[in-house]
Every structure is written in C-alpha cells, then in structure tokens.
C-alpha cells in the first residue's frame, strides 16, 4: 500500500521529513510535546557522526555518549 504523501514527492527523503514536520506543528498547535523531539534527533545525529568517525578511523571508538 502506497502512502499518498510518498507518491507526491519523487525524492524519497521529503515525505518522511514532511510527516515529522506535520507531527511537530500539530503538537505545537495542541500544546502537546512533539515526539520524537530535539533530544532524540540530537542523539541520532551524534550516533551517525560516531559511526562515520569509526569508519574513517577504521575501528571502534569509545566515546559514544551524547552530552
């Protein structure tokens, strides 16, 4: 089953970001807390950066805890 939002955009990255933005805006309008939030996004970005660093160095890295 194809989501109509996915069919709307040829770039596969746009629809997921659109969904997140809509959830964020809806939460703001309702006065709720948006999830995932900025803390979760920061953690994911930190882990992506750590994975890239590990790949670049060719081995394990020890400091993968986000502040």
């Amino acid at each position: 089953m194809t989501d109509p939002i996915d069919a709307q955009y040829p770039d596969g990255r746009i629809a997921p970001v659109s969904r997140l933005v809509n959830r964020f805006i809806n939460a703001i309008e309702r006065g709720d807390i948006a999830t995932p939030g900025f803390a979760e996004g920061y953690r994911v970005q930190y882990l992506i950066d750590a994975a890239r660093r590990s790949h670049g160095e060719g081995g394990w890295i020890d400091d993968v805890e986000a502040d």
Side-chain angles (χ1 to χ4, degrees):
M1 179 175 193
T2 303
D3 187 327
I5 293 175
D6 289 331
Q8 214 173 358
Y9 303 105
D11 185 335
R13 298 169 291 181
I14 295 173
V17 171
S18 175
R19 284 187 199 91
L20 285 173
V21 169
N22 282 332
R23 285 171 52 185
F24 183 70
I25 291 171
N26 290 338
I28 291 170
E29 288 174 344
R30 289 190 310 262
D32 293 339
I33 295 174
T35 57
F38 291 109
E40 292 87 358
Y42 173 75
R43 178 68 176 158
V44 168
Q45 186 61 54
Y46 190 90
L47 293 172
I48 290 169
D49 292 343
R52 287 182 174 163
R53 199 167 85 234
S54 174
H55 176 74
E57 294 176 10
W60 290 94
I61 56 172
D62 292 325
D63 59 340
V64 292
E65 288 300 317
D67 294 334

